């Protein structure tokens, strides 16, 4: 699923990695910006996941969040809103 700044990929966890909560991977390529910008985007995503997103994801899923180049200018609040809407769309499937 895609939004303006992020892509969200989800799949069931493998049998050997069954955990009581969802796992999240974050990918930010060099197209987003230099190391400072990439780390800032990763912090925004991690904080958004910690605050609201992980509680909404069904257990037993692996999520991968991919930042698009436009994520460099997004900010924490828009990141949180977009990831929450992507997870809401995921749950609606």
């Amino acid at each position: 699923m895609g939004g303006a700044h992020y892509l969200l990929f989800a799949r069931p966890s493998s049998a050997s990695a069954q955990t009581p909560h969802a796992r999240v991977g974050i990918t930010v390529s060099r197209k987003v910006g230099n190391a400072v910008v990439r780390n800032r985007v990763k912090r925004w995503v991690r904080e958004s996941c910690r605050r609201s997103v992980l509680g909404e994801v069904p257990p037993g899923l692996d999520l991968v969040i991919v930042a698009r180049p436009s994520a460099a200018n997004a900010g924490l609040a828009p990141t949180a809103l977009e990831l929450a809407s992507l997870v809401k769309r995921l749950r609606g499937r």
Side-chain angles (χ1 to χ4, degrees):
M1 277 174 239
H5 306 297
Y6 299 95
L7 296 172
L8 176 69
F9 296 97
R11 62 172 258 182
S13 296
S14 63
S16 63
Q18 289 295 330
T19 60
H21 57 278
R23 299 187 306 173
V24 176
I26 303 166
T27 303
V28 183
S29 74
R30 282 194 271 171
K31 292 179 183 179
V32 175
N34 63 20
V36 173
V37 173
R38 292 192 310 266
N39 286 326
R40 184 180 306 130
V41 170
K42 285 187 273 188
R43 284 194 306 268
W44 291 338
V45 172
R46 278 194 303 265
E47 182 64 15
S48 299
C49 289
R50 185 187 69 79
R51 284 185 182 180
S52 62
V53 172
L54 283 180
E56 301 296 321
V57 177
L61 279 182
D62 289 340
L63 300 180
V64 177
I65 300 169
V66 179
R68 293 182 173 179
S70 62
N73 302 320
L76 178 60
T79 295
L81 288 173
E82 183 170 337
L83 292 178
S85 71
L86 289 173
V87 168
K88 187 175 180 182
R89 285 175 43 197
L90 174 71
R91 289 182 61 98
R93 289 177 121 183

